[in-house]
Amino acid sequence: MFRVGKMAGLSSYEKRVVMKKKLREYPVAERPAALGLEAADISALHTGLTLEAADHMIENVIGTYALPMGVAQNFVMNGRAIEAIPMVVEEASIVAACSFAAKLARNAGGFTAGSSAPIMIGQIQVLDVPDVDLARSRVAAATQDLLNWLNAENASTRSRHAHAVDIELRTLPAAIAAHWLIVHVLYDCGDAMGANLVNTACEALAPLIESLTGGRVHLRILSNLSDHRTVWARCTIHVSDLVAEGAAARIVEAGLFAEFDPYRAATHNKGVMNGVDAVAVATGQDWRAIEAGAHAWCARSGRYTSLTTWRVNPVGDLTGFLEMPLAVGIVGGATRVHPAAQTALRMLGVTRAHELAEIMACVGLAQNFAAVRALALEGIQAGHMALHARQIVVAAGAHGAQVETIAARLIAEKNVRMERARELVEQGNKE
Ligand code: MEV
């Protein structure tokens, strides 16, 4: 069952935001303070992960690897303004495009978003089941006892924050799996992503499942197709904000291309995930799990399709809708050890995992709108070129004000290439 997300009032971080001019007009080092961040958070953003903390996270650590963190602005979700949404990403134009889309959505009241209960699925693969029908009915009859055992009796799965809520049984096509039974253990994971607890529960249940089914348990692992833990976001864009003649219809045509063609859907969805992943990385989430779930969800009908739909409503405005599985946590995992991820969560002012998921869905929808609008109206390269030119110019050795002037010259000459950028930098250095 879906609910519309609700967030508490302003966080203490948001109350401190006092910007006297646009964020980008502050020197880069002054932006965190302008956003109201306190000294400890600013130092977390600048230092990132210490070597010592990194050494505890994975094996054979030799260093840490930094990426830019930017913030998307202009978001309103369920009536609440979200001052700054942290995004960690290497691709130019994503943050700016996201803020631009959020601004247009804000003109029409902002995003609405909601989510289901945070239910994860653990899978137990049972093979060599002598009588699958009998096994099904025996596991079904024992469901309540198994849930009680997980939630109250077994020490490794008892938790105050998460609990097993149901068991579902599935079979697969008889040609290969005539004697297989797939047991799904459903867990309400609360504010955790839940992978550890669900995997522990699957392993703990295995002997009980073997004795009930008479089969042999093989794999015991969480499913990343978390289709019981979904999130949705919706927005409207006023047709007057789209400016170009027939723009809404052209954006709908672009969206339909993705709905019906998997080749286009893959790229369209990459645009959605540009936003979702950037917030996932900033907040310390398992973005591979999110990606895997999103794409499996898109293929659930047997034909890969788009994560979003775009339509024109009866008054001629554009409406967008996104629904996807989104397993995120605000306790445990990298959120516990990565100081910049903790800062990112504080900036978002989220106190529950579903609030984070709802924000990520809005960012995904905004990102998708920005990409599809650009593709449908002016082509993606116009906007990309300016940012690409700046990157080339920096790589060619330009500094300070040189960056903007040389980038503008490359664009005017329609020659955004490294050799030309180097020539202009050398010329500039001699003058
Ligand atoms: C590029 O990172 C993302 C886009 O290709 C998305 C899309 O085509 O919709 C622009």
mmCIF file of all heavy atoms in Angstrom, residues 337-383:
data_model
loop_
_atom_site.group_PDB
_atom_site.id
_atom_site.type_symbol
_atom_site.label_atom_id
_atom_site.label_comp_id
_atom_site.label_asym_id
_atom_site.label_seq_id
_atom_site.Cartn_x
_atom_site.Cartn_y
_atom_site.Cartn_z
ATOM 1 N N VAL A 337 29.851 5.058 8.440
ATOM 2 C CA VAL A 337 31.291 5.321 8.541
ATOM 3 C C VAL A 337 31.780 6.490 7.688
ATOM 4 O O VAL A 337 32.857 7.012 7.942
ATOM 5 C CB VAL A 337 32.113 4.064 8.161
ATOM 6 C CG1 VAL A 337 32.097 3.058 9.285
ATOM 7 C CG2 VAL A 337 31.645 3.452 6.866
ATOM 8 N N HIS A 338 31.021 6.860 6.677
ATOM 9 C CA HIS A 338 31.532 7.909 5.777
ATOM 10 C C HIS A 338 31.062 9.282 6.258
ATOM 11 O O HIS A 338 29.873 9.586 6.208
ATOM 12 C CB HIS A 338 31.052 7.657 4.347
ATOM 13 C CG HIS A 338 31.904 8.365 3.339
ATOM 14 N ND1 HIS A 338 32.073 9.730 3.340
ATOM 15 C CD2 HIS A 338 32.652 7.896 2.298
ATOM 16 C CE1 HIS A 338 32.881 10.066 2.346
ATOM 17 N NE2 HIS A 338 33.250 8.969 1.705
ATOM 18 N N PRO A 339 31.993 10.132 6.721
ATOM 19 C CA PRO A 339 31.562 11.415 7.292
ATOM 20 C C PRO A 339 30.818 12.297 6.294
ATOM 21 O O PRO A 339 29.882 13.010 6.666
ATOM 22 C CB PRO A 339 32.864 12.078 7.744
ATOM 23 C CG PRO A 339 33.967 11.234 7.271
ATOM 24 C CD PRO A 339 33.451 9.934 6.766
ATOM 25 N N ALA A 340 31.223 12.269 5.007
ATOM 26 C CA ALA A 340 30.541 13.133 4.030
ATOM 27 C C ALA A 340 29.119 12.621 3.769
ATOM 28 O O ALA A 340 28.202 13.409 3.524
ATOM 29 C CB ALA A 340 31.343 13.194 2.740
ATOM 30 N N ALA A 341 28.929 11.317 3.852
ATOM 31 C CA ALA A 341 27.568 10.758 3.682
ATOM 32 C C ALA A 341 26.679 11.202 4.844
ATOM 33 O O ALA A 341 25.491 11.521 4.651
ATOM 34 C CB ALA A 341 27.628 9.233 3.601
ATOM 35 N N GLN A 342 27.262 11.240 6.038
ATOM 36 C CA GLN A 342 26.472 11.701 7.197
ATOM 37 C C GLN A 342 26.099 13.173 7.037
ATOM 38 O O GLN A 342 24.978 13.582 7.334
ATOM 39 C CB GLN A 342 27.264 11.500 8.487
ATOM 40 C CG GLN A 342 27.401 10.032 8.849
ATOM 41 C CD GLN A 342 28.486 9.788 9.887
ATOM 42 O OE1 GLN A 342 29.088 10.715 10.407
ATOM 43 N NE2 GLN A 342 28.725 8.518 10.177
ATOM 44 N N THR A 343 27.046 13.959 6.537
ATOM 45 C CA THR A 343 26.754 15.380 6.286
ATOM 46 C C THR A 343 25.632 15.499 5.250
ATOM 47 O O THR A 343 24.698 16.303 5.402
ATOM 48 C CB THR A 343 28.032 16.102 5.794
ATOM 49 O OG1 THR A 343 28.976 16.057 6.854
ATOM 50 C CG2 THR A 343 27.760 17.538 5.420
ATOM 51 N N ALA A 344 25.726 14.694 4.196
ATOM 52 C CA ALA A 344 24.703 14.750 3.136
ATOM 53 C C ALA A 344 23.325 14.439 3.714
ATOM 54 O O ALA A 344 22.330 15.112 3.394
ATOM 55 C CB ALA A 344 25.061 13.770 2.026
ATOM 56 N N LEU A 345 23.243 13.438 4.580
ATOM 57 C CA LEU A 345 21.943 13.087 5.184
ATOM 58 C C LEU A 345 21.442 14.225 6.063
ATOM 59 O O LEU A 345 20.247 14.540 6.072
ATOM 60 C CB LEU A 345 22.055 11.792 5.993
ATOM 61 C CG LEU A 345 22.174 10.514 5.159
ATOM 62 C CD1 LEU A 345 22.489 9.318 6.040
ATOM 63 C CD2 LEU A 345 20.892 10.251 4.363
ATOM 64 N N ARG A 346 22.371 14.863 6.797
ATOM 65 C CA ARG A 346 21.951 15.998 7.640
ATOM 66 C C ARG A 346 21.424 17.140 6.779
ATOM 67 O O ARG A 346 20.442 17.789 7.113
ATOM 68 C CB ARG A 346 23.122 16.490 8.497
ATOM 69 C CG ARG A 346 23.200 15.786 9.844
ATOM 70 C CD ARG A 346 24.138 16.514 10.798
ATOM 71 N NE ARG A 346 25.530 16.384 10.428
ATOM 72 C CZ ARG A 346 26.289 15.311 10.684
ATOM 73 N NH1 ARG A 346 25.781 14.289 11.340
ATOM 74 N NH2 ARG A 346 27.547 15.263 10.325
ATOM 75 N N MET A 347 22.080 17.369 5.639
ATOM 76 C CA MET A 347 21.618 18.450 4.761
ATOM 77 C C MET A 347 20.201 18.181 4.258
ATOM 78 O O MET A 347 19.407 19.101 4.091
ATOM 79 C CB MET A 347 22.544 18.586 3.552
ATOM 80 C CG MET A 347 23.896 19.141 3.905
ATOM 81 S SD MET A 347 24.972 19.176 2.473
ATOM 82 C CE MET A 347 24.201 20.461 1.545
ATOM 83 N N LEU A 348 19.914 16.920 4.002
ATOM 84 C CA LEU A 348 18.577 16.588 3.497
ATOM 85 C C LEU A 348 17.525 16.657 4.595
ATOM 86 O O LEU A 348 16.322 16.707 4.312
ATOM 87 C CB LEU A 348 18.590 15.184 2.872
ATOM 88 C CG LEU A 348 19.345 15.098 1.545
ATOM 89 C CD1 LEU A 348 19.503 13.644 1.118
ATOM 90 C CD2 LEU A 348 18.621 15.884 0.472
ATOM 91 N N GLY A 349 17.972 16.623 5.842
ATOM 92 C CA GLY A 349 17.036 16.716 6.963
ATOM 93 C C GLY A 349 16.121 15.505 7.048
ATOM 94 O O GLY A 349 15.007 15.607 7.550
ATOM 95 N N VAL A 350 16.578 14.348 6.548
ATOM 96 C CA VAL A 350 15.706 13.172 6.593
ATOM 97 C C VAL A 350 15.887 12.445 7.928
ATOM 98 O O VAL A 350 16.997 12.327 8.439
ATOM 99 C CB VAL A 350 15.966 12.195 5.424
ATOM 100 C CG1 VAL A 350 15.545 12.814 4.112
ATOM 101 C CG2 VAL A 350 17.424 11.771 5.358
ATOM 102 N N THR A 351 14.770 11.971 8.459
ATOM 103 C CA THR A 351 14.852 11.205 9.698
ATOM 104 C C THR A 351 14.414 9.762 9.472
ATOM 105 O O THR A 351 14.528 8.933 10.358
ATOM 106 C CB THR A 351 13.953 11.827 10.786
ATOM 107 O OG1 THR A 351 12.632 11.942 10.240
ATOM 108 C CG2 THR A 351 14.437 13.199 11.211
ATOM 109 N N ARG A 352 13.888 9.479 8.296
ATOM 110 C CA ARG A 352 13.451 8.118 7.964
ATOM 111 C C ARG A 352 13.978 7.755 6.560
ATOM 112 O O ARG A 352 14.088 8.631 5.691
ATOM 113 C CB ARG A 352 11.907 8.011 7.937
ATOM 114 C CG ARG A 352 11.205 8.455 9.199
ATOM 115 C CD ARG A 352 11.578 7.617 10.417
ATOM 116 N NE ARG A 352 11.549 6.185 10.180
ATOM 117 C CZ ARG A 352 10.503 5.385 10.385
ATOM 118 N NH1 ARG A 352 9.370 5.899 10.849
ATOM 119 N NH2 ARG A 352 10.577 4.092 10.154
ATOM 120 N N ALA A 353 14.223 6.455 6.348
ATOM 121 C CA ALA A 353 14.770 6.024 5.054
ATOM 122 C C ALA A 353 13.807 6.315 3.907
ATOM 123 O O ALA A 353 14.222 6.676 2.806
ATOM 124 C CB ALA A 353 15.087 4.533 5.115
ATOM 125 N N HIS A 354 12.504 6.194 4.173
ATOM 126 C CA HIS A 354 11.561 6.407 3.060
ATOM 127 C C HIS A 354 11.579 7.852 2.580
ATOM 128 O O HIS A 354 11.349 8.130 1.402
ATOM 129 C CB HIS A 354 10.146 5.944 3.425
ATOM 130 C CG HIS A 354 9.416 6.847 4.369
ATOM 131 N ND1 HIS A 354 8.676 7.918 3.927
ATOM 132 C CD2 HIS A 354 9.317 6.862 5.708
ATOM 133 C CE1 HIS A 354 8.162 8.539 4.974
ATOM 134 N NE2 HIS A 354 8.537 7.919 6.064
ATOM 135 N N GLU A 355 11.925 8.782 3.489
ATOM 136 C CA GLU A 355 12.013 10.187 3.057
ATOM 137 C C GLU A 355 13.158 10.369 2.067
ATOM 138 O O GLU A 355 13.027 11.086 1.065
ATOM 139 C CB GLU A 355 12.237 11.103 4.265
ATOM 140 C CG GLU A 355 11.073 11.125 5.230
ATOM 141 C CD GLU A 355 11.409 11.801 6.555
ATOM 142 O OE1 GLU A 355 12.578 12.196 6.770
ATOM 143 O OE2 GLU A 355 10.502 11.922 7.384
ATOM 144 N N LEU A 356 14.278 9.700 2.357
ATOM 145 C CA LEU A 356 15.406 9.765 1.433
ATOM 146 C C LEU A 356 15.004 9.171 0.076
ATOM 147 O O LEU A 356 15.280 9.747 -0.979
ATOM 148 C CB LEU A 356 16.604 9.002 2.019
ATOM 149 C CG LEU A 356 17.808 8.843 1.096
ATOM 150 C CD1 LEU A 356 18.378 10.199 0.694
ATOM 151 C CD2 LEU A 356 18.894 7.992 1.759
ATOM 152 N N ALA A 357 14.332 8.017 0.103
ATOM 153 C CA ALA A 357 13.911 7.366 -1.153
ATOM 154 C C ALA A 357 12.994 8.293 -1.956
ATOM 155 O O ALA A 357 13.116 8.408 -3.177
ATOM 156 C CB ALA A 357 13.205 6.049 -0.842
ATOM 157 N N GLU A 358 12.098 8.988 -1.269
ATOM 158 C CA GLU A 358 11.156 9.879 -1.972
ATOM 159 C C GLU A 358 11.904 11.055 -2.613
ATOM 160 O O GLU A 358 11.615 11.435 -3.752
ATOM 161 C CB GLU A 358 10.066 10.346 -0.991
ATOM 162 C CG GLU A 358 9.092 9.220 -0.664
ATOM 163 C CD GLU A 358 8.363 9.385 0.669
ATOM 164 O OE1 GLU A 358 8.400 10.483 1.249
ATOM 165 O OE2 GLU A 358 7.764 8.394 1.129
ATOM 166 N N ILE A 359 12.889 11.598 -1.905
ATOM 167 C CA ILE A 359 13.688 12.691 -2.489
ATOM 168 C C ILE A 359 14.426 12.171 -3.726
ATOM 169 O O ILE A 359 14.465 12.824 -4.774
ATOM 170 C CB ILE A 359 14.692 13.251 -1.454
ATOM 171 C CG1 ILE A 359 13.935 13.993 -0.345
ATOM 172 C CG2 ILE A 359 15.720 14.166 -2.117
ATOM 173 C CD1 ILE A 359 14.799 14.438 0.824
ATOM 174 N N MET A 360 14.988 10.970 -3.622
ATOM 175 C CA MET A 360 15.739 10.416 -4.759
ATOM 176 C C MET A 360 14.831 10.204 -5.965
ATOM 177 O O MET A 360 15.241 10.410 -7.115
ATOM 178 C CB MET A 360 16.418 9.102 -4.345
ATOM 179 C CG MET A 360 17.589 9.345 -3.410
ATOM 180 S SD MET A 360 18.147 7.854 -2.571
ATOM 181 C CE MET A 360 18.962 6.997 -3.883
ATOM 182 N N ALA A 361 13.592 9.808 -5.713
ATOM 183 C CA ALA A 361 12.653 9.618 -6.835
ATOM 184 C C ALA A 361 12.367 10.959 -7.506
ATOM 185 O O ALA A 361 12.304 11.051 -8.739
ATOM 186 C CB ALA A 361 11.361 8.972 -6.332
ATOM 187 N N CYS A 362 12.199 12.017 -6.714
ATOM 188 C CA CYS A 362 11.960 13.351 -7.297
ATOM 189 C C CYS A 362 13.164 13.785 -8.123
ATOM 190 O O CYS A 362 13.017 14.347 -9.222
ATOM 191 C CB CYS A 362 11.691 14.386 -6.197
ATOM 192 S SG CYS A 362 10.205 14.042 -5.259
ATOM 193 N N VAL A 363 14.358 13.530 -7.598
ATOM 194 C CA VAL A 363 15.574 13.903 -8.336
ATOM 195 C C VAL A 363 15.641 13.120 -9.646
ATOM 196 O O VAL A 363 15.970 13.673 -10.708
ATOM 197 C CB VAL A 363 16.832 13.654 -7.466
ATOM 198 C CG1 VAL A 363 18.108 13.823 -8.277
ATOM 199 C CG2 VAL A 363 16.840 14.602 -6.271
ATOM 200 N N GLY A 364 15.301 11.834 -9.608
ATOM 201 C CA GLY A 364 15.310 11.011 -10.828
ATOM 202 C C GLY A 364 14.331 11.540 -11.863
ATOM 203 O O GLY A 364 14.641 11.626 -13.057
ATOM 204 N N LEU A 365 13.151 11.941 -11.401
ATOM 205 C CA LEU A 365 12.136 12.450 -12.334
ATOM 206 C C LEU A 365 12.585 13.796 -12.914
ATOM 207 O O LEU A 365 12.448 14.055 -14.118
ATOM 208 C CB LEU A 365 10.793 12.584 -11.599
ATOM 209 C CG LEU A 365 9.586 12.955 -12.449
ATOM 210 C CD1 LEU A 365 9.325 11.927 -13.551
ATOM 211 C CD2 LEU A 365 8.318 13.088 -11.570
ATOM 212 N N ALA A 366 13.163 14.645 -12.058
ATOM 213 C CA ALA A 366 13.649 15.951 -12.521
ATOM 214 C C ALA A 366 14.752 15.763 -13.559
ATOM 215 O O ALA A 366 14.759 16.408 -14.614
ATOM 216 C CB ALA A 366 14.173 16.755 -11.327
ATOM 217 N N GLN A 367 15.676 14.877 -13.240
ATOM 218 C CA GLN A 367 16.805 14.640 -14.145
ATOM 219 C C GLN A 367 16.312 14.144 -15.497
ATOM 220 O O GLN A 367 16.793 14.565 -16.549
ATOM 221 C CB GLN A 367 17.708 13.569 -13.506
ATOM 222 C CG GLN A 367 19.122 13.624 -13.974
ATOM 223 C CD GLN A 367 19.835 14.839 -13.412
ATOM 224 O OE1 GLN A 367 19.897 15.021 -12.217
ATOM 225 N NE2 GLN A 367 20.365 15.670 -14.279
ATOM 226 N N ASN A 368 15.332 13.250 -15.454
ATOM 227 C CA ASN A 368 14.777 12.695 -16.686
ATOM 228 C C ASN A 368 14.085 13.790 -17.492
ATOM 229 O O ASN A 368 14.251 13.890 -18.714
ATOM 230 C CB ASN A 368 13.798 11.575 -16.316
ATOM 231 C CG ASN A 368 13.081 10.980 -17.505
ATOM 232 O OD1 ASN A 368 11.860 10.968 -17.553
ATOM 233 N ND2 ASN A 368 13.817 10.478 -18.470
ATOM 234 N N PHE A 369 13.339 14.647 -16.796
ATOM 235 C CA PHE A 369 12.659 15.734 -17.511
ATOM 236 C C PHE A 369 13.684 16.618 -18.214
ATOM 237 O O PHE A 369 13.532 16.964 -19.396
ATOM 238 C CB PHE A 369 11.806 16.587 -16.557
ATOM 239 C CG PHE A 369 11.387 17.886 -17.199
ATOM 240 C CD1 PHE A 369 10.393 17.901 -18.171
ATOM 241 C CD2 PHE A 369 12.031 19.072 -16.886
ATOM 242 C CE1 PHE A 369 10.043 19.078 -18.821
ATOM 243 C CE2 PHE A 369 11.687 20.254 -17.525
ATOM 244 C CZ PHE A 369 10.694 20.259 -18.491
ATOM 245 N N ALA A 370 14.744 16.978 -17.488
ATOM 246 C CA ALA A 370 15.736 17.887 -18.075
ATOM 247 C C ALA A 370 16.356 17.277 -19.328
ATOM 248 O O ALA A 370 16.511 17.955 -20.354
ATOM 249 C CB ALA A 370 16.824 18.202 -17.044
ATOM 250 N N ALA A 371 16.673 15.977 -19.258
ATOM 251 C CA ALA A 371 17.316 15.333 -20.415
ATOM 252 C C ALA A 371 16.345 15.236 -21.585
ATOM 253 O O ALA A 371 16.691 15.573 -22.721
ATOM 254 C CB ALA A 371 17.812 13.943 -20.017
ATOM 255 N N VAL A 372 15.123 14.795 -21.301
ATOM 256 C CA VAL A 372 14.165 14.582 -22.390
ATOM 257 C C VAL A 372 13.756 15.927 -22.999
ATOM 258 O O VAL A 372 13.595 16.050 -24.209
ATOM 259 C CB VAL A 372 12.958 13.754 -21.890
ATOM 260 C CG1 VAL A 372 11.905 13.623 -22.974
ATOM 261 C CG2 VAL A 372 13.417 12.373 -21.462
ATOM 262 N N ARG A 373 13.623 16.951 -22.156
ATOM 263 C CA ARG A 373 13.288 18.288 -22.676
ATOM 264 C C ARG A 373 14.381 18.758 -23.632
ATOM 265 O O ARG A 373 14.124 19.208 -24.741
ATOM 266 C CB ARG A 373 13.142 19.289 -21.525
ATOM 267 C CG ARG A 373 12.540 20.627 -21.933
ATOM 268 C CD ARG A 373 12.985 21.752 -21.003
ATOM 269 N NE ARG A 373 14.399 22.047 -21.211
ATOM 270 C CZ ARG A 373 14.865 22.954 -22.067
ATOM 271 N NH1 ARG A 373 14.038 23.719 -22.737
ATOM 272 N NH2 ARG A 373 16.170 23.124 -22.221
ATOM 273 N N ALA A 374 15.638 18.617 -23.183
ATOM 274 C CA ALA A 374 16.740 19.082 -24.031
ATOM 275 C C ALA A 374 16.776 18.289 -25.339
ATOM 276 O O ALA A 374 16.924 18.865 -26.421
ATOM 277 C CB ALA A 374 18.064 18.942 -23.288
ATOM 278 N N LEU A 375 16.619 16.976 -25.242
ATOM 279 C CA LEU A 375 16.656 16.141 -26.451
ATOM 280 C C LEU A 375 15.523 16.496 -27.403
ATOM 281 O O LEU A 375 15.708 16.543 -28.619
ATOM 282 C CB LEU A 375 16.528 14.658 -26.065
ATOM 283 C CG LEU A 375 17.774 14.021 -25.456
ATOM 284 C CD1 LEU A 375 17.418 12.686 -24.827
ATOM 285 C CD2 LEU A 375 18.836 13.837 -26.525
ATOM 286 N N ALA A 376 14.334 16.711 -26.822
ATOM 287 C CA ALA A 376 13.154 16.933 -27.658
ATOM 288 C C ALA A 376 13.141 18.332 -28.254
ATOM 289 O O ALA A 376 12.538 18.548 -29.303
ATOM 290 C CB ALA A 376 11.881 16.702 -26.838
ATOM 291 N N LEU A 377 13.785 19.292 -27.590
ATOM 292 C CA LEU A 377 13.664 20.674 -28.055
ATOM 293 C C LEU A 377 14.912 21.199 -28.766
ATOM 294 O O LEU A 377 14.812 21.762 -29.829
ATOM 295 C CB LEU A 377 13.279 21.600 -26.896
ATOM 296 C CG LEU A 377 11.999 21.209 -26.151
ATOM 297 C CD1 LEU A 377 11.613 22.305 -25.182
ATOM 298 C CD2 LEU A 377 10.844 20.918 -27.105
ATOM 299 N N GLU A 378 16.086 21.023 -28.154
ATOM 300 C CA GLU A 378 17.247 21.645 -28.801
ATOM 301 C C GLU A 378 18.390 20.685 -29.076
ATOM 302 O O GLU A 378 19.395 21.060 -29.669
ATOM 303 C CB GLU A 378 17.769 22.833 -27.959
ATOM 304 C CG GLU A 378 18.346 22.428 -26.637
ATOM 305 C CD GLU A 378 17.676 23.141 -25.454
ATOM 306 O OE1 GLU A 378 16.570 23.684 -25.633
ATOM 307 O OE2 GLU A 378 18.266 23.122 -24.374
ATOM 308 N N GLY A 379 18.257 19.432 -28.643
ATOM 309 C CA GLY A 379 19.379 18.491 -28.791
ATOM 310 C C GLY A 379 20.279 18.633 -27.577
ATOM 311 O O GLY A 379 20.400 19.722 -27.009
ATOM 312 N N ILE A 380 20.926 17.555 -27.176
ATOM 313 C CA ILE A 380 21.647 17.542 -25.902
ATOM 314 C C ILE A 380 22.998 18.254 -26.008
ATOM 315 O O ILE A 380 23.526 18.770 -25.033
ATOM 316 C CB ILE A 380 21.823 16.084 -25.420
ATOM 317 C CG1 ILE A 380 21.899 16.003 -23.911
ATOM 318 C CG2 ILE A 380 23.014 15.405 -26.051
ATOM 319 C CD1 ILE A 380 20.611 16.067 -23.228
ATOM 320 N N GLN A 381 23.563 18.331 -27.202
ATOM 321 C CA GLN A 381 24.941 18.812 -27.311
ATOM 322 C C GLN A 381 25.090 20.305 -27.018
ATOM 323 O O GLN A 381 26.107 20.731 -26.506
ATOM 324 C CB GLN A 381 25.520 18.495 -28.698
ATOM 325 C CG GLN A 381 25.855 17.027 -28.878
ATOM 326 C CD GLN A 381 26.764 16.488 -27.779
ATOM 327 O OE1 GLN A 381 26.308 16.137 -26.701
ATOM 328 N NE2 GLN A 381 28.054 16.423 -28.041
ATOM 329 N N ALA A 382 24.036 21.088 -27.321
ATOM 330 C CA ALA A 382 24.146 22.535 -27.099
ATOM 331 C C ALA A 382 24.542 22.821 -25.655
ATOM 332 O O ALA A 382 25.511 23.537 -25.386
ATOM 333 C CB ALA A 382 22.825 23.202 -27.442
ATOM 334 N N GLY A 383 23.812 22.242 -24.710
ATOM 335 C CA GLY A 383 24.103 22.462 -23.296
ATOM 336 C C GLY A 383 25.384 21.778 -22.858
ATOM 337 O O GLY A 383 26.185 22.329 -22.101
#
